[in-house]
Amino acid sequence: MKNVILIISMLLVCCGVGAQTAKNVGKVTTVKAEERPEVLIETTMGNIRVALYNETPLHRDNFLKLIREYHYYDSLLFHRVIPDFMIQAGDPYSKNAPKGAVLGDHSLDYTIPAEIRLPQIYHKRGALAAAREPDMVNPKRESSSSQFYIVYGCKQDERGLQRGRDNLRQLFGDSIQMTDEMREAYTTVGGTPHLDGGYTVFGEVLEGMDVVDRIQRVERDANDRPLEDVRIVKATILKDLPGMEKKPKKVVKRVVKKPARRK
């Protein structure tokens, strides 16, 4: 799972990926922002408040369940950070990992079907998205059950936009194209357009991008793990789905090690 989002070289070149069927790209109905569930991620470097999209219900419900019933993310590390790209967490083995241990190869023993909602939902700065295994072992682009990343990215120039367009064309032909809204966000706010279509975005940061910025810039080792641990102290649901506010805490036991794929 070390390379569950992309190898570092994708920061420099557009990644070629296999064809994706149209069934994984859904038309969405706009949901009012105030109706979205919200989660507070308290870290050792500050707090991040995120909203979860109702347009991606499988990912939304899974994320909420892990927090509500298992307190899953409490004490886990941001085990992979890359400046001007993203920060990643969710490996259960990171909770008690010694300094320097290689992380990112663990998750729960199930995956989540892709819920790619282009062009409405994309990898703008602050996007909350699901990590996954590479196409060679995961052609349906199913998401990790627990690992997620938050996009920081950078403001895109025409070259960056073109990489994004080329990637969309390779994935979808002419059926999905970069919209004016996407171009505006990528050039004025920032993001990672070359990830669009490859990974499910299921939420966004509402507050705390300054914290994301600080985390992405910490010193890190050759595997992009911070030299000094950056830990999720606690993840709390601020606004749950109706009727789900008082579900009991359970214990997560199902963890599987996945083979590392490093380059």
Side-chain angles (χ1 to χ4, degrees):
M1 187 77 66
K2 181 67 178 179
N3 289 327
V4 284
I5 58 172
L6 288 179
I7 59 174
I8 299 177
S9 62
M10 285 197 62
L11 294 170
L12 302 177
V13 297
C14 177
C15 177
V17 293
Q20 173 153 326
T21 59
K23 67 180 180 180
N24 287 331
V25 181
K27 294 182 179 180
V28 301
T29 300
T30 301
V31 178
K32 294 180 180 179
E34 60 268 22
E35 297 175 356
R36 292 171 175 165
E38 295 182 12
V39 169
L40 181 66
I41 302 172
E42 301 175 54
T43 83
T44 50
M45 296 188 70
N47 295 344
I48 305 168
R49 182 167 67 95
V50 301
L52 307 181
Y53 294 146
N54 294 311
E55 297 91 333
T56 53
L58 300 179
H59 289 73
R60 175 201 65 193
D61 292 354
N62 179 75
F63 197 68
L64 290 172
K65 183 173 182 177
L66 291 180
I67 296 170
R68 181 197 310 115
E69 300 186 15
Y70 305 125
H71 295 199
Y72 177 84
Y73 292 104
D74 296 3
S75 297
L76 298 190
L77 301 178
F78 280 98
H79 64 268
R80 186 173 181 233
V81 304
I82 302 177
D84 297 323
F85 189 29
M86 62 87 221
I87 62 175
Q88 184 173 334
D91 183 338
Y93 280 32
S94 69
K95 181 177 290 188
N96 300 307
K99 295 280 188 180
V102 177
L103 298 169
D105 297 331
H106 305 89
S107 186
L108 302 181
D109 61 353
Y110 64 93
T111 56
I112 307 170
E115 294 181 292
I116 296 169
R117 306 300 191 219
L118 286 169
Q120 294 91 343
I121 297 175
Y122 49 94
H123 283 79
K124 63 184 178 181
R125 178 169 291 174
L128 171 67
R132 67 172 178 85
E133 288 290 323
D135 287 358
M136 66 184 73
V137 295
N138 180 28
K140 294 183 179 180
R141 300 186 176 88
E142 295 182 341
S143 299
S144 162
S145 54
S146 63
Q147 291 203 37
F148 68 88
Y149 60 97
I150 298 175
V151 171
Y152 194 82
C154 56
K155 293 181 181 180
Q156 299 295 318
D157 56 15
E158 184 55 37
R159 182 180 177 185
L161 292 177
Q162 190 58 51
R163 288 201 296 268
R165 294 189 195 99
D166 291 344
N167 187 58
L168 290 178
R169 186 175 299 110
Q170 183 170 359
L171 289 171
F172 308 115
D174 293 328
S175 63
I176 300 291
Q177 297 183 9
M178 186 177 292
T179 64
D180 290 341
E181 176 187 311
M182 294 168 72
R183 286 193 292 270
E184 177 72 12
Y186 284 137
T187 57
T188 63
V189 178
T192 54
H194 61 282
L195 298 185
D196 287 338
Y199 302 83
T200 295
V201 176
F202 65 96
E204 65 179 86
V205 174
L206 300 178
E207 295 178 355
M209 279 307 297
D210 58 328
V211 178
V212 176
D213 186 20
R214 290 198 296 272
I215 293 174
Q216 62 147 355
R217 298 190 185 282
V218 300
E219 293 187 58
R220 64 198 199 283
D221 63 18
N223 294 302
D224 296 314
R225 176 178 170 179
L227 297 180
E228 297 296 327
D229 288 345
V230 181
R231 193 174 298 278
I232 298 174
V233 178
K234 186 177 183 181
T236 307
I237 298 174
L238 299 177
K239 185 193 303 182
D240 207 339
L241 297 171
M244 302 298 290
E245 296 85 355
K246 295 183 179 180
K247 287 290 181 179
K249 179 180 178 180
K250 298 181 181 178
V251 178
V252 172
K253 294 183 179 179
R254 300 184 306 168
V255 176
V256 61
K257 187 177 188 300
K258 305 233 176 151
R261 296 177 182 84
R262 301 185 189 89
K263 295 183 180 180

